[in-house]
Amino acid sequence: MTFDSNRRATGPLRLCMMLVALVAVPAFAQEAPDALVKRVSQEALSIIKTDPRVQAGDQAHIRDLIQAKIAPHFDMDRMTALAAGRAYRQATPEQRKRLADEFESLLIRTYANALNQYRDQTISYEPLRAEPTANEVTVRTQVNRPGQTPVSIDYSMEKTPSGWKAYDVIVGGVSLVTNYRDEFTQQVRQGGVDGLIKALAAKNAAPPPAPK
């Protein structure tokens, strides 16, 4: 899925930028959210630059990597609720689970394709501005691209019993879940919650796009 860069720019390359800041081994529960983002981004850069199967574009390997390293750091239930809006609130528990599973699969596929477009970006980090007792914070970073304008990447994060998790990513001021919300709303209007689930499942079953 891509979006008009002048309106809502979260195309594959920018989704890859989200990836490099969130790949990690399981986070320590007491680790500060900004420290977590900084630590895991460096681990991500190392993996992307040194893993020969990633460099070769092995999609199955890349998806397994994302499933193991990225998915645990997202609150997929909250992300799905934000993206689906009213439809999520009206859905049955079974429908909610299926929506979250399909949405996660869609993000993994999108990240896997984006990873093929990664080049020599670097990341800078802003100091965290939040109260020590805050349960929700925004971690602000900037992706620097050689010869191009830097792109801001902000992570909306919440403190959970298993550590800090992201529930939205804002690329250049545009929310990831908001981008999906428009499409999800249209699909729900056409076919209800089950129609949205089927549409997501069809996307996930389709062959991945050819590397550019």
Side-chain angles (χ1 to χ4, degrees):
M1 177 184 298
T2 59
F3 297 92
D4 184 338
S5 61
N6 292 322
R7 295 177 63 248
R8 293 180 171 177
T10 53
L13 181 57
R14 291 191 174 186
L15 285 171
C16 183
M17 297 172 188
M18 302 171 197
L19 165 65
V20 299
L22 284 173
V23 173
V25 296
F28 299 107
Q30 299 303 316
E31 189 172 18
D34 56 333
L36 170 64
V37 169
K38 185 172 184 177
R39 175 177 64 82
V40 302
S41 66
Q42 299 309 309
E43 294 172 355
L45 292 173
S46 177
I47 291 171
I48 291 169
K49 291 179 179 179
T50 63
D51 189 318
R53 295 174 67 182
V54 171
Q55 293 295 315
D58 184 333
Q59 289 293 295
H61 176 66
I62 293 171
R63 287 195 296 270
D64 288 344
L65 175 67
I66 295 169
Q67 180 72 60
K69 303 288 188 178
I70 288 197
H73 297 283
F74 281 96
D75 184 339
M76 285 308 306
D77 287 337
R78 185 169 180 180
M79 288 188 74
T80 306
L82 290 171
R86 181 184 300 178
Y88 185 88
R89 296 191 295 272
Q90 296 175 344
T92 66
E94 180 183 357
Q95 287 174 322
R96 290 181 179 183
K97 183 180 185 307
R98 292 175 62 194
L99 274 175
D101 289 345
E102 295 294 348
F103 191 25
E104 180 176 329
S105 295
L106 177 63
L107 292 178
I108 289 173
R109 283 171 58 90
T110 305
Y111 284 139
N113 181 55
L115 192 57
N116 287 329
Q117 303 182 40
Y118 175 79
R119 293 298 181 267
D120 293 326
Q121 286 88 359
T122 60
I123 305 171
S124 55
Y125 312 87
E126 294 186 14
L128 181 66
R129 294 180 174 85
E131 295 295 329
T133 57
N135 292 319
E136 294 196 5
V137 301
T138 299
V139 177
R140 303 183 187 279
T141 73
Q142 179 175 279
V143 175
N144 306 299
R145 305 173 295 170
Q148 300 183 60
T149 303
V151 177
S152 64
I153 308 286
D154 299 338
Y155 300 91
S156 299
M157 304 185 73
E158 63 177 342
K159 191 173 185 179
T160 76
S162 57
W164 287 91
K165 293 181 182 289
Y167 62 88
D168 197 8
V169 183
I170 299 90
V171 182
V174 178
S175 160
L176 173 67
V177 296
T178 298
N179 269 322
Y180 280 107
R181 185 183 299 155
D182 292 343
E183 180 183 348
F184 286 7
T185 298
Q186 181 178 0
Q187 290 170 336
V188 169
R189 286 174 180 169
Q190 294 174 348
V193 175
D194 286 335
L196 173 57
I197 293 171
K198 290 179 181 178
L200 292 175
K203 286 186 177 183
N204 290 328
K212 296 182 180 179

